[in-house]
Amino acid sequence: MADAERFLVADDHPMVRDALASALGQTFAGARFTMAGTLGQAQAALDKEPETDAVLLDLDMPGMDGLTGLARLRSEHPTVPIIVVSAAREASVVRRAYEFGASAYIDKSAPLEEIAGIVRAVLDGEIFAPPEAVSTDTFAQRAAQLTPQQWRVLALMVQGDQNKQIAHKLGVGEATVKAHVTVILRKLGVRSRTQAVIEARGLALPATDPVRP
């Protein structure tokens, strides 16, 4: 069907991906699904099909670096609704997820029928933001100004890479990286590289118990 919904299901557990796709397939007749098990795969899938109707995103899969991965996807594809399906239940994580542009935040233990219903509502234009998602914190607002490339630089800074290493990994000149770092510090409202890294590390997810599909 030409008008069938297109979903990207991004989770590193194949059984979870299959369960979500099955539930959505029963709700959205003829829907098409792309699967991803890492942030890199999700980025590649969205680059290939930017008109994807919605992304179901696990925060704790390879490459995500907690909420940093969500922020990068939102920066790279600002018009695609992102529905977080996560085992992390902390209010601070939920709040940050909405601050970085999630359209909904669903507990992985929710019934599949409930997840499908929320996805339907999101496609109808709704955003599920509980009271705990409302915050006066401005870090997310500042970080939202970062470009996709600046997010890549910041993510590598958090990993401990120096400018020379970042330049090599991104295939750019060291001077370009230095310029990016300067802009990142300014946009985040911090004075030092160390302070930027500390702020960014706050996007990490707390440890969670393994969740069975």
Side-chain angles (χ1 to χ4, degrees):
M1 295 175 60
D3 58 350
E5 288 84 359
R6 291 162 293 184
F7 296 105
L8 170 60
V9 181
D11 192 293
D12 60 340
H13 290 90
M15 291 180 63
V16 173
R17 295 197 300 266
D18 292 344
L20 290 172
S22 177
L24 294 179
Q26 295 177 32
T27 302
F28 301 92
R32 294 190 287 118
F33 298 93
T34 300
M35 305 298 194
T38 66
L39 174 62
Q41 291 175 2
Q43 291 172 307
L46 286 175
D47 288 342
K48 183 177 181 180
E49 193 160 12
E51 299 303 314
T52 296
D53 290 291
V55 177
L56 277 75
L57 181 69
D58 176 26
L59 296 179
D60 189 19
M61 65 178 181
M64 285 295 292
D65 292 325
L67 291 163
T68 301
L70 166 62
R72 289 175 63 181
L73 284 181
R74 169 53 59 233
S75 175
E76 294 164 2
H77 299 276
T79 64
V80 179
I82 297 178
I83 300 163
V84 173
V85 183
S86 175
R89 300 177 177 87
E90 290 75 7
S92 60
V93 175
V94 177
R95 182 176 65 248
R96 282 289 176 88
Y98 281 106
E99 289 173 348
F100 281 110
S103 294
Y105 192 105
I106 307 173
D107 192 310
K108 267 192 176 180
S109 63
L112 292 174
E113 296 79 6
E114 178 182 334
I115 294 175
I118 292 175
V119 172
R120 167 71 73 186
V122 168
L123 293 187
D124 287 339
E126 296 184 37
I127 294 179
F128 287 80
E132 62 266 27
V134 179
S135 171
T136 57
D137 177 57
T138 61
F139 177 76
Q141 297 171 353
R142 299 193 303 269
Q145 302 175 54
L146 299 181
T147 66
Q149 185 74 335
Q150 288 161 4
W151 270 112
R152 296 183 190 104
V153 172
L154 180 59
L156 292 173
M157 288 167 56
V158 171
Q159 293 178 18
D161 288 355
Q162 298 303 310
N163 290 348
K164 186 175 182 178
Q165 296 168 294
I166 295 173
H168 176 71
K169 290 182 178 180
L170 297 182
V172 299
E174 191 171 351
T176 299
V177 174
K178 290 180 180 178
H180 278 313
V181 172
T182 298
V183 175
I184 289 169
L185 299 187
R186 175 176 58 78
K187 287 184 175 180
L188 294 182
V190 298
R191 295 187 177 186
S192 69
R193 186 189 190 98
T194 300
Q195 190 178 354
V197 168
I198 291 173
E199 288 268 23
R201 282 179 177 158
L203 302 178
L205 298 181
T208 57
D209 294 329
V211 175
R212 289 175 297 178

mmCIF file of all heavy atoms in Angstrom, residues 67-105:
data_model
loop_
_atom_site.group_PDB
_atom_site.id
_atom_site.type_symbol
_atom_site.label_atom_id
_atom_site.label_comp_id
_atom_site.label_asym_id
_atom_site.label_seq_id
_atom_site.Cartn_x
_atom_site.Cartn_y
_atom_site.Cartn_z
ATOM 1 N N LEU A 67 20.787 9.127 26.774
ATOM 2 C CA LEU A 67 19.916 10.051 26.056
ATOM 3 C C LEU A 67 20.631 10.799 24.939
ATOM 4 O O LEU A 67 19.994 11.466 24.133
ATOM 5 C CB LEU A 67 19.308 11.042 27.049
ATOM 6 C CG LEU A 67 18.290 10.417 28.006
ATOM 7 C CD1 LEU A 67 18.055 11.326 29.202
ATOM 8 C CD2 LEU A 67 16.979 10.154 27.288
ATOM 9 N N THR A 68 21.958 10.664 24.879
ATOM 10 C CA THR A 68 22.699 11.329 23.810
ATOM 11 C C THR A 68 22.240 10.827 22.448
ATOM 12 O O THR A 68 22.096 11.600 21.491
ATOM 13 C CB THR A 68 24.205 11.091 23.969
ATOM 14 O OG1 THR A 68 24.616 11.592 25.241
ATOM 15 C CG2 THR A 68 24.991 11.801 22.872
ATOM 16 N N GLY A 69 22.000 9.527 22.336
ATOM 17 C CA GLY A 69 21.548 8.966 21.069
ATOM 18 C C GLY A 69 20.203 9.528 20.642
ATOM 19 O O GLY A 69 19.982 9.830 19.459
ATOM 20 N N LEU A 70 19.285 9.676 21.600
ATOM 21 C CA LEU A 70 17.984 10.281 21.303
ATOM 22 C C LEU A 70 18.172 11.698 20.780
ATOM 23 O O LEU A 70 17.561 12.101 19.788
ATOM 24 C CB LEU A 70 17.109 10.279 22.564
ATOM 25 C CG LEU A 70 15.855 11.162 22.517
ATOM 26 C CD1 LEU A 70 14.903 10.700 21.419
ATOM 27 C CD2 LEU A 70 15.155 11.155 23.878
ATOM 28 N N ALA A 71 19.017 12.464 21.472
ATOM 29 C CA ALA A 71 19.244 13.849 21.061
ATOM 30 C C ALA A 71 19.836 13.921 19.655
ATOM 31 O O ALA A 71 19.479 14.793 18.854
ATOM 32 C CB ALA A 71 20.165 14.546 22.063
ATOM 33 N N ARG A 72 20.735 12.998 19.344
ATOM 34 C CA ARG A 72 21.343 13.003 18.012
ATOM 35 C C ARG A 72 20.317 12.669 16.935
ATOM 36 O O ARG A 72 20.268 13.322 15.883
ATOM 37 C CB ARG A 72 22.511 12.015 17.969
ATOM 38 C CG ARG A 72 23.717 12.477 18.780
ATOM 39 C CD ARG A 72 24.813 11.435 18.812
ATOM 40 N NE ARG A 72 25.348 11.153 17.472
ATOM 41 C CZ ARG A 72 26.303 10.268 17.239
ATOM 42 N NH1 ARG A 72 26.829 9.594 18.250
ATOM 43 N NH2 ARG A 72 26.748 10.073 16.023
ATOM 44 N N LEU A 73 19.479 11.664 17.186
ATOM 45 C CA LEU A 73 18.448 11.321 16.201
ATOM 46 C C LEU A 73 17.477 12.474 16.001
ATOM 47 O O LEU A 73 17.064 12.778 14.878
ATOM 48 C CB LEU A 73 17.680 10.075 16.650
ATOM 49 C CG LEU A 73 18.375 8.729 16.489
ATOM 50 C CD1 LEU A 73 17.460 7.603 16.974
ATOM 51 C CD2 LEU A 73 18.770 8.483 15.042
ATOM 52 N N ARG A 74 17.113 13.130 17.105
ATOM 53 C CA ARG A 74 16.186 14.253 16.989
ATOM 54 C C ARG A 74 16.819 15.398 16.212
ATOM 55 O O ARG A 74 16.163 16.061 15.397
ATOM 56 C CB ARG A 74 15.776 14.714 18.401
ATOM 57 C CG ARG A 74 15.030 16.023 18.511
ATOM 58 C CD ARG A 74 13.801 16.113 17.625
ATOM 59 N NE ARG A 74 12.842 15.081 17.905
ATOM 60 C CZ ARG A 74 12.329 14.265 16.992
ATOM 61 N NH1 ARG A 74 12.724 14.333 15.738
ATOM 62 N NH2 ARG A 74 11.430 13.359 17.303
ATOM 63 N N SER A 75 18.113 15.639 16.428
ATOM 64 C CA SER A 75 18.804 16.711 15.714
ATOM 65 C C SER A 75 18.913 16.396 14.224
ATOM 66 O O SER A 75 18.737 17.276 13.377
ATOM 67 C CB SER A 75 20.199 16.913 16.315
ATOM 68 O OG SER A 75 20.947 17.853 15.589
ATOM 69 N N GLU A 76 19.187 15.121 13.907
ATOM 70 C CA GLU A 76 19.379 14.730 12.508
ATOM 71 C C GLU A 76 18.064 14.599 11.749
ATOM 72 O O GLU A 76 18.019 14.818 10.533
ATOM 73 C CB GLU A 76 20.144 13.407 12.459
ATOM 74 C CG GLU A 76 21.578 13.511 12.979
ATOM 75 C CD GLU A 76 22.188 12.151 13.277
ATOM 76 O OE1 GLU A 76 21.509 11.124 13.051
ATOM 77 O OE2 GLU A 76 23.349 12.110 13.741
ATOM 78 N N HIS A 77 16.985 14.229 12.453
ATOM 79 C CA HIS A 77 15.688 14.020 11.799
ATOM 80 C C HIS A 77 14.588 14.667 12.646
ATOM 81 O O HIS A 77 13.809 13.981 13.321
ATOM 82 C CB HIS A 77 15.423 12.521 11.614
ATOM 83 C CG HIS A 77 16.451 11.844 10.758
ATOM 84 N ND1 HIS A 77 16.383 11.854 9.374
ATOM 85 C CD2 HIS A 77 17.584 11.172 11.080
ATOM 86 C CE1 HIS A 77 17.427 11.201 8.888
ATOM 87 N NE2 HIS A 77 18.171 10.790 9.890
ATOM 88 N N PRO A 78 14.527 15.989 12.635
ATOM 89 C CA PRO A 78 13.635 16.718 13.542
ATOM 90 C C PRO A 78 12.147 16.503 13.308
ATOM 91 O O PRO A 78 11.340 16.798 14.189
ATOM 92 C CB PRO A 78 14.025 18.186 13.306
ATOM 93 C CG PRO A 78 14.620 18.207 11.932
ATOM 94 C CD PRO A 78 15.335 16.895 11.794
ATOM 95 N N THR A 79 11.744 15.993 12.151
ATOM 96 C CA THR A 79 10.309 15.855 11.872
ATOM 97 C C THR A 79 9.762 14.460 12.134
ATOM 98 O O THR A 79 8.543 14.254 12.081
ATOM 99 C CB THR A 79 10.006 16.228 10.407
ATOM 100 O OG1 THR A 79 10.666 15.300 9.534
ATOM 101 C CG2 THR A 79 10.482 17.645 10.108
ATOM 102 N N VAL A 80 10.628 13.486 12.417
ATOM 103 C CA VAL A 80 10.167 12.112 12.622
ATOM 104 C C VAL A 80 9.815 11.902 14.094
ATOM 105 O O VAL A 80 10.673 12.088 14.960
ATOM 106 C CB VAL A 80 11.248 11.093 12.194
ATOM 107 C CG1 VAL A 80 10.736 9.667 12.433
ATOM 108 C CG2 VAL A 80 11.615 11.280 10.737
ATOM 109 N N PRO A 81 8.577 11.518 14.416
ATOM 110 C CA PRO A 81 8.221 11.262 15.820
ATOM 111 C C PRO A 81 9.050 10.124 16.396
ATOM 112 O O PRO A 81 9.224 9.081 15.750
ATOM 113 C CB PRO A 81 6.740 10.872 15.738
ATOM 114 C CG PRO A 81 6.251 11.432 14.444
ATOM 115 C CD PRO A 81 7.426 11.349 13.514
ATOM 116 N N ILE A 82 9.569 10.333 17.599
ATOM 117 C CA ILE A 82 10.351 9.295 18.279
ATOM 118 C C ILE A 82 9.601 8.873 19.540
ATOM 119 O O ILE A 82 9.308 9.701 20.413
ATOM 120 C CB ILE A 82 11.754 9.800 18.646
ATOM 121 C CG1 ILE A 82 12.535 10.155 17.368
ATOM 122 C CG2 ILE A 82 12.502 8.740 19.454
ATOM 123 C CD1 ILE A 82 13.917 10.713 17.630
ATOM 124 N N ILE A 83 9.292 7.591 19.614
ATOM 125 C CA ILE A 83 8.579 7.021 20.752
ATOM 126 C C ILE A 83 9.565 6.148 21.517
ATOM 127 O O ILE A 83 10.033 5.122 21.005
ATOM 128 C CB ILE A 83 7.372 6.193 20.281
ATOM 129 C CG1 ILE A 83 6.396 7.085 19.489
ATOM 130 C CG2 ILE A 83 6.668 5.535 21.471
ATOM 131 C CD1 ILE A 83 5.406 6.311 18.656
ATOM 132 N N VAL A 84 9.923 6.567 22.706
ATOM 133 C CA VAL A 84 10.881 5.820 23.514
ATOM 134 C C VAL A 84 10.170 4.646 24.176
ATOM 135 O O VAL A 84 9.121 4.815 24.802
ATOM 136 C CB VAL A 84 11.531 6.720 24.579
ATOM 137 C CG1 VAL A 84 12.394 5.894 25.521
ATOM 138 C CG2 VAL A 84 12.354 7.814 23.917
ATOM 139 N N VAL A 85 10.733 3.451 24.012
ATOM 140 C CA VAL A 85 10.236 2.256 24.695
ATOM 141 C C VAL A 85 11.411 1.741 25.519
ATOM 142 O O VAL A 85 12.343 1.145 24.992
ATOM 143 C CB VAL A 85 9.750 1.193 23.702
ATOM 144 C CG1 VAL A 85 9.167 -0.005 24.456
ATOM 145 C CG2 VAL A 85 8.710 1.773 22.748
ATOM 146 N N SER A 86 11.379 1.985 26.826
ATOM 147 C CA SER A 86 12.559 1.775 27.652
ATOM 148 C C SER A 86 12.234 1.113 28.978
ATOM 149 O O SER A 86 11.120 1.223 29.493
ATOM 150 C CB SER A 86 13.255 3.123 27.907
ATOM 151 O OG SER A 86 14.341 2.984 28.795
ATOM 152 N N ALA A 87 13.253 0.434 29.532
ATOM 153 C CA ALA A 87 13.119 -0.161 30.857
ATOM 154 C C ALA A 87 13.446 0.845 31.955
ATOM 155 O O ALA A 87 13.187 0.587 33.128
ATOM 156 C CB ALA A 87 14.034 -1.377 30.982
ATOM 157 N N ALA A 88 14.029 1.988 31.592
ATOM 158 C CA ALA A 88 14.382 3.012 32.586
ATOM 159 C C ALA A 88 13.120 3.731 33.037
ATOM 160 O O ALA A 88 12.390 4.290 32.219
ATOM 161 C CB ALA A 88 15.371 4.000 31.988
ATOM 162 N N ARG A 89 12.872 3.712 34.328
ATOM 163 C CA ARG A 89 11.626 4.282 34.858
ATOM 164 C C ARG A 89 11.834 5.560 35.664
ATOM 165 O O ARG A 89 10.868 6.159 36.133
ATOM 166 C CB ARG A 89 10.924 3.245 35.735
ATOM 167 C CG ARG A 89 10.567 1.959 35.006
ATOM 168 C CD ARG A 89 9.941 0.948 35.957
ATOM 169 N NE ARG A 89 9.515 -0.266 35.270
ATOM 170 C CZ ARG A 89 10.293 -1.308 35.032
ATOM 171 N NH1 ARG A 89 11.557 -1.264 35.442
ATOM 172 N NH2 ARG A 89 9.836 -2.371 34.414
ATOM 173 N N GLU A 90 13.082 5.970 35.844
ATOM 174 C CA GLU A 90 13.349 7.142 36.681
ATOM 175 C C GLU A 90 12.722 8.396 36.080
ATOM 176 O O GLU A 90 12.803 8.635 34.867
ATOM 177 C CB GLU A 90 14.859 7.341 36.841
ATOM 178 C CG GLU A 90 15.537 6.296 37.703
ATOM 179 C CD GLU A 90 15.716 4.964 37.009
ATOM 180 O OE1 GLU A 90 15.419 4.892 35.790
ATOM 181 O OE2 GLU A 90 16.143 3.997 37.662
ATOM 182 N N ALA A 91 12.115 9.215 36.950
ATOM 183 C CA ALA A 91 11.447 10.429 36.484
ATOM 184 C C ALA A 91 12.406 11.355 35.750
ATOM 185 O O ALA A 91 12.027 12.019 34.774
ATOM 186 C CB ALA A 91 10.813 11.161 37.673
ATOM 187 N N SER A 92 13.672 11.402 36.198
ATOM 188 C CA SER A 92 14.637 12.282 35.554
ATOM 189 C C SER A 92 14.911 11.852 34.121
ATOM 190 O O SER A 92 15.094 12.684 33.235
ATOM 191 C CB SER A 92 15.950 12.310 36.354
ATOM 192 O OG SER A 92 16.514 11.007 36.426
ATOM 193 N N VAL A 93 14.931 10.544 33.886
ATOM 194 C CA VAL A 93 15.161 10.036 32.533
ATOM 195 C C VAL A 93 13.960 10.348 31.651
ATOM 196 O O VAL A 93 14.099 10.800 30.507
ATOM 197 C CB VAL A 93 15.423 8.513 32.556
ATOM 198 C CG1 VAL A 93 15.545 7.962 31.132
ATOM 199 C CG2 VAL A 93 16.686 8.208 33.348
ATOM 200 N N VAL A 94 12.770 10.121 32.179
ATOM 201 C CA VAL A 94 11.548 10.421 31.421
ATOM 202 C C VAL A 94 11.501 11.904 31.061
ATOM 203 O O VAL A 94 11.222 12.276 29.908
ATOM 204 C CB VAL A 94 10.297 10.038 32.245
ATOM 205 C CG1 VAL A 94 9.028 10.423 31.498
ATOM 206 C CG2 VAL A 94 10.294 8.538 32.543
ATOM 207 N N ARG A 95 11.810 12.746 32.041
ATOM 208 C CA ARG A 95 11.778 14.193 31.807
ATOM 209 C C ARG A 95 12.767 14.600 30.719
ATOM 210 O O ARG A 95 12.425 15.338 29.791
ATOM 211 C CB ARG A 95 12.102 14.937 33.109
ATOM 212 C CG ARG A 95 12.032 16.467 32.964
ATOM 213 C CD ARG A 95 12.264 17.154 34.293
ATOM 214 N NE ARG A 95 13.612 16.936 34.807
ATOM 215 C CZ ARG A 95 13.897 16.213 35.880
ATOM 216 N NH1 ARG A 95 12.950 15.607 36.551
ATOM 217 N NH2 ARG A 95 15.157 16.084 36.280
ATOM 218 N N ARG A 96 13.987 14.087 30.821
ATOM 219 C CA ARG A 96 15.002 14.450 29.824
ATOM 220 C C ARG A 96 14.609 13.950 28.431
ATOM 221 O O ARG A 96 14.870 14.607 27.431
ATOM 222 C CB ARG A 96 16.363 13.891 30.231
ATOM 223 C CG ARG A 96 17.063 14.697 31.338
ATOM 224 C CD ARG A 96 17.547 16.030 30.789
ATOM 225 N NE ARG A 96 18.137 16.871 31.809
ATOM 226 C CZ ARG A 96 19.415 16.852 32.164
ATOM 227 N NH1 ARG A 96 20.239 16.002 31.608
ATOM 228 N NH2 ARG A 96 19.861 17.691 33.081
ATOM 229 N N ALA A 97 14.000 12.776 28.382
ATOM 230 C CA ALA A 97 13.590 12.230 27.081
ATOM 231 C C ALA A 97 12.613 13.171 26.384
ATOM 232 O O ALA A 97 12.731 13.441 25.179
ATOM 233 C CB ALA A 97 12.965 10.850 27.254
ATOM 234 N N TYR A 98 11.666 13.695 27.137
ATOM 235 C CA TYR A 98 10.724 14.646 26.541
ATOM 236 C C TYR A 98 11.414 15.960 26.181
ATOM 237 O O TYR A 98 11.119 16.565 25.146
ATOM 238 C CB TYR A 98 9.550 14.907 27.493
ATOM 239 C CG TYR A 98 8.519 13.811 27.462
ATOM 240 C CD1 TYR A 98 8.404 12.902 28.506
ATOM 241 C CD2 TYR A 98 7.657 13.674 26.374
ATOM 242 C CE1 TYR A 98 7.464 11.883 28.479
ATOM 243 C CE2 TYR A 98 6.704 12.660 26.341
ATOM 244 C CZ TYR A 98 6.611 11.774 27.395
ATOM 245 O OH TYR A 98 5.687 10.763 27.356
ATOM 246 N N GLU A 99 12.339 16.387 27.024
ATOM 247 C CA GLU A 99 13.058 17.629 26.732
ATOM 248 C C GLU A 99 13.839 17.521 25.426
ATOM 249 O O GLU A 99 13.998 18.498 24.700
ATOM 250 C CB GLU A 99 14.014 17.963 27.889
ATOM 251 C CG GLU A 99 13.288 18.413 29.149
ATOM 252 C CD GLU A 99 14.239 18.570 30.332
ATOM 253 O OE1 GLU A 99 15.396 18.117 30.233
ATOM 254 O OE2 GLU A 99 13.824 19.146 31.339
ATOM 255 N N PHE A 100 14.317 16.307 25.131
ATOM 256 C CA PHE A 100 15.081 16.109 23.903
ATOM 257 C C PHE A 100 14.207 15.691 22.727
ATOM 258 O O PHE A 100 14.714 15.251 21.711
ATOM 259 C CB PHE A 100 16.208 15.102 24.132
ATOM 260 C CG PHE A 100 17.395 15.708 24.819
ATOM 261 C CD1 PHE A 100 17.710 15.365 26.117
ATOM 262 C CD2 PHE A 100 18.185 16.645 24.175
ATOM 263 C CE1 PHE A 100 18.801 15.940 26.763
ATOM 264 C CE2 PHE A 100 19.275 17.218 24.808
ATOM 265 C CZ PHE A 100 19.583 16.868 26.104
ATOM 266 N N GLY A 101 12.903 15.819 22.877
ATOM 267 C CA GLY A 101 12.028 15.689 21.714
ATOM 268 C C GLY A 101 11.248 14.406 21.559
ATOM 269 O O GLY A 101 10.633 14.193 20.511
ATOM 270 N N ALA A 102 11.225 13.527 22.568
ATOM 271 C CA ALA A 102 10.408 12.317 22.456
ATOM 272 C C ALA A 102 8.929 12.687 22.413
ATOM 273 O O ALA A 102 8.476 13.595 23.116
ATOM 274 C CB ALA A 102 10.672 11.380 23.632
ATOM 275 N N SER A 103 8.168 11.998 21.573
ATOM 276 C CA SER A 103 6.726 12.240 21.488
ATOM 277 C C SER A 103 5.964 11.405 22.506
ATOM 278 O O SER A 103 4.814 11.708 22.819
ATOM 279 C CB SER A 103 6.220 11.908 20.088
ATOM 280 O OG SER A 103 6.761 12.799 19.135
ATOM 281 N N ALA A 104 6.581 10.339 22.993
ATOM 282 C CA ALA A 104 5.976 9.499 24.026
ATOM 283 C C ALA A 104 7.081 8.700 24.700
ATOM 284 O O ALA A 104 8.137 8.466 24.109
ATOM 285 C CB ALA A 104 4.923 8.565 23.438
ATOM 286 N N TYR A 105 6.826 8.299 25.936
ATOM 287 C CA TYR A 105 7.780 7.481 26.690
ATOM 288 C C TYR A 105 6.993 6.320 27.274
ATOM 289 O O TYR A 105 6.081 6.520 28.080
ATOM 290 C CB TYR A 105 8.429 8.305 27.807
ATOM 291 C CG TYR A 105 9.634 7.636 28.444
ATOM 292 C CD1 TYR A 105 10.918 8.074 28.145
ATOM 293 C CD2 TYR A 105 9.486 6.570 29.331
ATOM 294 C CE1 TYR A 105 12.031 7.471 28.723
ATOM 295 C CE2 TYR A 105 10.587 5.961 29.908
ATOM 296 C CZ TYR A 105 11.857 6.418 29.601
ATOM 297 O OH TYR A 105 12.961 5.809 30.158
#
